[in-house]
Amino acid sequence: MSALLKKEWKNFFVMVLILLIATGIGYGFRSIHVQETNIVLVYVLAMLFISWYTNSFAWSIVASIIGMAVFNFCFTQPIFTLSVYDSNYFLTFFCMIAVALFSAALTLQTKKYAAQVYQERKQVEQEQYRANLLRSISHDLRTPLMGIMGTSEMIMDMSEEQDPRRALA
């Protein structure tokens, strides 16, 4: 299997797992008589997690649509059908998808920005290492050269112009 296909299967399983967890939490909330409109927030939070883990806007779109369908199937009257008797739920569904997509877009932009900042920091660090290495090499070369130049100037000052050592110095 190619790496891309493995990644897509991983994204699929992450999406299914997070939606199952959200549904389980929703059933837990329903058992303690929490309103369905509050359970929607669990699914919106699930969409945020899906966006974060899958790194793909396409998976966020798919997850928001499937999440809305699962919410409709499990928590709206009539339960275990995709029918809707209360027209107010259409607004809830629309808002659920809109918020999920908006949060997915923001999450993906944040992750891209963080990756860009990381790359820029890495480049700055590499440039600092390079500059430090060049300074170190320059210092290591100048130190013995300064000693050699000082000694040769001293030899030149101490010798006469006809002395062959002066030419060597």
Side-chain angles (χ1 to χ4, degrees):
M1 232 194 287
S2 72
L4 180 63
L5 192 57
K6 284 181 183 179
K7 181 182 176 190
E8 295 305 318
W9 275 108
K10 176 188 162 266
N11 288 340
F12 174 76
F13 287 122
V14 164
M15 179 190 70
V16 168
L17 179 66
I18 292 174
L19 286 174
L20 285 173
I21 291 170
T23 303
I25 292 170
Y27 276 120
F29 282 175
R30 194 166 109 201
S31 71
I32 58 172
H33 307 294
V34 173
Q35 291 181 345
E36 291 87 9
T37 53
N38 293 328
I39 296 173
V40 167
L41 297 175
V42 173
Y43 280 91
V44 170
L45 186 61
M47 299 309 128
L48 190 64
F49 285 132
I50 290 169
S51 300
W52 184 261
Y53 286 111
T54 60
N55 294 327
S56 169
F57 193 69
W59 280 109
S60 300
I61 292 171
V62 169
S64 64
I65 292 169
I66 292 174
M68 183 269 310
V70 169
F71 174 78
N72 180 21
F73 187 79
C74 295
F75 299 106
T76 60
Q77 293 296 329
I79 294 181
F80 303 125
T81 66
L82 292 176
S83 300
V84 178
Y85 287 152
D86 188 358
S87 62
N88 289 330
Y89 278 116
F90 289 114
L91 179 61
T92 302
F93 297 155
F94 174 77
C95 289
M96 180 182 171
I97 290 176
V99 168
L101 294 178
F102 183 71
S103 63
L106 287 177
T107 301
L108 294 173
Q109 279 184 329
T110 302
K111 288 184 86 169
K112 285 180 184 178
Y113 179 73
Q116 181 183 3
V117 167
Y118 175 76
Q119 286 297 328
E120 289 173 1
R121 265 195 197 152
K122 196 173 171 183
Q123 288 175 348
V124 167
E125 279 182 15
Q126 287 177 344
E127 183 60 32
Q128 286 176 342
Y129 287 142
R130 188 183 72 77
N132 287 340
L133 178 65
L134 288 175
R135 276 194 291 273
S136 176
I137 291 171
S138 174
H139 177 267
D140 289 348
L141 288 175
R142 268 187 278 151
T143 302
L145 287 176
M146 294 305 286
I148 293 169
M149 288 178 60
T151 304
S152 64
E153 286 177 7
M154 190 172 72
I155 291 172
M156 288 173 58
D157 288 343
M158 293 174 53
S159 61
E160 295 181 13
E161 291 206 22
Q162 292 83 8
D163 192 351
R165 290 180 289 180
R166 183 180 177 100
L168 286 174

